[in-house]
Amino acid sequence: MKLWEFKKLQNIPNVFLFYGDEFYLDLYYKKIEPIIQNTESLKFYYDEFDFDTAKNHLAQNSLFGDKTSLIIKTNKFPANIDKLVDIAKDNYFYLFFYGDSKKVKTKPFKNNFVRFFKPDLRELILLSNEYMQQNNITNINLDNLKYLISKIDYRFLFSEIDKLSLVSDINYKLIDKLVFNYNETSFDEVFDNIFLNKEYLKKLEYLLFEGNDEIAILLSFIRYIKILYMFHLHIKNIGYENVSRDVLGYQIPKNLEEFRKQIAIKIKEEKFLELFEILLNAELEMKSSKDKSAVLFKTFIQIKNLI
C-alpha cells in the first residue's frame, strides 16, 4: 500500500504492518494507542519477542469478552508471522519493523501494510501543522517552521516544536539558540566508521572540503567520546535499558542506540582516559597551530591506532 492510499483509510485495519522510515514508525506507533486502549494488550520490543507467548495471547479469549492486541516493535523480522496473522482474526495485531526493508515479508498481511520513505519538506510541514493544531501551538509561523526543519534532524522535529512552543517572538536567531545542535550529527558517520573499521579519512577530508571548521569537528568528536563514556558507565553501573534516554535526556533511534552501546561496552575505562588525553592535547595544539587540518588528521589516526 502506498502512503497516499494509507492516508485515505478511514480506519487502520486491525492487522497491519508498518515499515520503513523511523520518523513515521514512531508517529503511527503513537496513533494506534487509542485503538488498542480498551484491549488486553501485549507488547514486544526488539529482542523480547517470543512466538509462543505472542500466539497464545492472540488465541486466548479475554476474561471479560474484550479484544486482545499484540504489538511488535523490532528490527528483526519475526518468523512464522503468517501464523500470527491467521490467529489474530478480529483481534488487533500491529507490527512495526525498523530493520532492513529488504527483509520484510508483506504477503501474510495481503494489502494491509505500508512502507514509509523519508519525508520531504512539504510532508514535514503538513505533519508539523497537524501536530501543532492538535496541541494548540500557535506561535510558530511557516517561515520559522521551515527554518527549524532545515536546522535539525527531522526525527526530533516534534520535540523541538514543543520546546519552541514555550517561548514568544520566535525568530531565526532564537531557533539557533534553543534547538539542539543537530549539525554535529553530520560528523557522526566519520566517527562511527573509526569503530566499524571502515574508511574514514576520505570522509573527513570531504567534511573539510565542504567548509566545516576543524575545531568544530574536533569538539564534536570530544562530545561523541564523552557520550560513549557515559553510555559505558550507565551500562556498567545501571544496566542496558534506557541508556540514551538517561544519558542524553531523549531517546535516539533504537538501532543507533544498540550500535553505540556495543561500542561503549567494548572500550575499557583506561582506554577512555587515553582517548580523552589525546583529544585534550589535540585541542590545545590546534588552538596554536597554523595547520589545523594536519592536527585533525593526526589525531584521528592516533585514535584509530589506539582502539
Side-chain angles (χ1 to χ4, degrees):
M1 187 180 297
K2 305 293 185 182
L3 180 58
W4 66 269
E5 295 175 302
F6 174 69
K7 287 189 172 183
K8 286 178 68 176
L9 294 176
Q10 295 295 318
N11 297 295
I12 299 175
N14 65 302
V15 176
F16 210 85
L17 162 66
F18 305 84
Y19 71 104
D21 184 80
E22 292 181 7
F23 175 80
Y24 279 113
L25 290 175
D26 290 343
L27 175 64
Y28 281 94
Y29 180 78
K30 292 177 182 178
K31 286 191 175 186
I32 66 158
E33 289 179 352
I35 300 174
I36 63 170
Q37 63 181 353
N38 294 320
T39 67
E40 288 190 27
S41 183
L42 175 64
K43 299 178 181 180
F44 289 106
Y45 298 103
Y46 298 92
D47 293 335
E48 294 176 349
F49 176 71
D50 178 77
F51 174 77
D52 289 333
T53 303
K55 180 185 68 174
N56 292 335
H57 177 76
L58 278 177
Q60 73 180 358
N61 292 319
S62 168
L63 294 175
F64 303 100
D66 295 330
K67 293 185 177 182
T68 59
S69 61
L70 172 67
I71 315 298
I72 302 174
K73 193 175 183 181
T74 184
N75 55 9
K76 297 178 182 177
F77 204 82
N80 299 320
I81 207 69
D82 54 330
K83 295 181 181 179
L84 294 180
V85 171
D86 290 339
I87 295 169
K89 296 181 180 178
D90 295 327
N91 291 315
Y92 296 95
F93 172 35
Y94 295 120
L95 172 59
F96 292 83
F97 182 62
Y98 286 73
D100 185 354
S101 295
K102 294 178 181 178
K103 297 181 180 179
V104 170
K105 298 177 181 178
T106 60
K107 188 175 180 179
F109 293 88
K110 298 181 179 178
N111 198 42
N112 287 354
F113 67 89
V114 61
R115 179 179 180 179
F116 297 118
F117 293 90
K118 180 179 178 179
D120 57 19
L121 176 61
R122 177 179 174 277
E123 186 67 16
L124 288 172
I125 291 172
L126 289 173
L127 292 169
S128 297
N129 285 332
E130 178 184 321
Y131 180 80
M132 291 190 291
Q133 186 176 8
Q134 291 172 347
N135 293 277
N136 298 314
I137 298 172
T138 59
N139 64 326
I140 304 175
N141 63 32
L142 179 59
D143 287 338
N144 286 327
L145 178 60
K146 287 181 178 178
Y147 186 71
L148 173 65
I149 292 171
S150 73
K151 296 293 290 183
I152 66 172
D153 184 323
Y154 67 93
R155 291 171 297 179
F156 306 108
L157 179 57
F158 293 160
S159 62
E160 293 300 342
I161 287 176
D162 288 339
K163 187 187 298 181
L164 292 176
S165 71
L166 302 176
V167 299
S168 57
D169 299 323
I170 296 174
N171 53 51
Y172 293 171
K173 187 175 181 179
L174 186 62
I175 291 173
D176 286 338
K177 180 179 179 181
L178 292 180
V179 303
F180 183 78
N181 184 12
Y182 291 100
N183 287 335
E184 290 186 358
T185 61
S186 64
F187 305 144
D188 283 359
E189 184 180 358
V190 179
F191 306 155
D192 289 342
N193 279 2
I194 294 177
F195 294 93
L196 288 169
N197 290 319
K198 292 184 177 180
E199 200 289 315
Y200 65 97
L201 291 177
K202 288 183 179 179
K203 291 182 180 294
L204 178 59
E205 185 176 356
Y206 183 72
L207 287 178
L208 296 174
F209 175 76
E210 284 187 319
N212 290 288
D213 181 72
E214 291 91 346
I215 293 180
I217 295 174
L218 180 65
L219 292 177
S220 295
F221 193 35
I222 292 173
R223 178 180 179 276
Y224 177 93
I225 298 297
K226 283 182 177 178
I227 290 173
L228 287 182
Y229 183 52
M230 288 188 287
F231 272 36
H232 175 91
L233 294 177
H234 187 289
I235 294 168
K236 187 176 179 180
N237 297 307
I238 300 175
Y240 280 87
E241 298 300 318
N242 303 316
V243 178
S244 63
R245 189 174 297 279
D246 290 347
V247 170
L248 302 173
Y250 59 89
Q251 178 68 51
I252 63 175
K254 192 71 178 179
N255 59 338
L256 180 60
E257 181 181 49
E258 290 302 317
F259 169 65
R260 297 278 161 78
K261 287 195 292 188
Q262 289 174 18
I263 296 173
I265 202 61
K266 286 180 180 178
I267 304 175
K268 295 183 178 180
E269 198 154 342
E270 54 267 26
K271 283 286 186 183
F272 275 112
L273 296 178
E274 292 182 62
L275 289 172
F276 286 130
E277 184 177 359
I278 291 172
L279 291 168
L280 177 60
N281 290 334
E283 184 180 1
L284 293 172
E285 184 180 355
M286 191 172 286
K287 288 178 180 178
S288 59
S289 175
K290 293 182 180 180
D291 192 350
K292 292 179 172 56
S293 294
V295 176
L296 189 65
F297 278 99
K298 181 185 72 173
T299 303
F300 271 69
I301 292 170
Q302 283 182 297
I303 297 290
K304 176 62 180 175
N305 291 336
L306 179 62
I307 61 174

